[in-house]
Amino acid sequence: MRKKSRKTTKSATIDDYLAALSGDKRAALERLRKTIHAAAPRAEECISYQLPAFRLDGRMLVWFGAAATHCSFYPGAVIEAHKKDLEGYDTSKGTIRFQPDGPLPAALVRKLVKARIARNAARQRQRR
């Protein structure tokens, strides 16, 4: 019987998702998870787009996950405003990629999560 790969297994919780990873990726993402919790203590964990995620006040906040060769943090559009802080990291429009043995600094993650919270709050105010 073949073992299911990470891509075909749907996780119901973040713990399920992390359990399927190698030890180094699991440790890096657990650290990221704890830092996100510290920056946004009221945020609730969920799975969104088959990735571990956090939701705050009914709106998606951030996502994270593992790929074959790296881990990723998805704080969305706040990346552009923090380009200088992210020099040295592989980034794209809404993604930061990093190696499990070189996790993102907690202070940087907190800064990005707080920026995302502020962005979501501003967008919510605009809609009123």
Side-chain angles (χ1 to χ4, degrees):
M1 184 173 182
R2 275 186 15 192
K3 184 178 178 183
K4 288 185 178 182
S5 73
R6 163 89 249 141
K7 292 185 187 326
T8 59
T9 303
K10 289 190 179 185
S11 302
T13 66
I14 292 179
D15 288 330
D16 291 345
Y17 182 95
L18 295 174
L21 301 177
S22 62
D24 59 339
K25 289 178 183 170
R26 185 178 322 111
L29 293 182
E30 276 287 2
R31 179 177 173 203
L32 182 58
R33 179 188 195 183
K34 286 179 183 166
T35 305
I36 295 166
H37 266 299
R42 293 187 312 109
E44 58 186 280
E45 294 185 347
C46 62
I47 297 291
S48 174
Y49 298 105
Q50 297 181 23
L51 289 171
F54 285 83
R55 182 184 300 118
L56 181 64
D57 298 328
R59 297 188 51 86
M60 294 309 300
L61 187 61
V62 295
W63 297 257
F64 60 92
T69 60
H70 62 271
C71 294
S72 296
F73 179 47
Y74 307 96
V78 298
I79 286 178
E80 188 60 36
H82 295 89
K83 276 284 190 199
K84 188 157 180 67
D85 295 327
L86 295 167
E87 286 177 359
Y89 291 99
D90 181 16
T91 63
S92 59
K93 189 174 179 180
T95 306
I96 306 164
R97 287 170 286 282
F98 60 94
Q99 294 303 310
D101 61 353
L104 298 172
L108 177 59
V109 173
R110 283 192 300 272
K111 188 177 197 178
L112 294 169
V113 170
K114 299 268 186 208
R116 181 66 183 206
I117 292 168
R119 181 180 170 90
N120 282 358
R123 290 178 72 192
Q124 190 66 27
R125 283 191 299 273
Q126 284 178 337
R127 292 184 180 166
R128 289 182 185 160

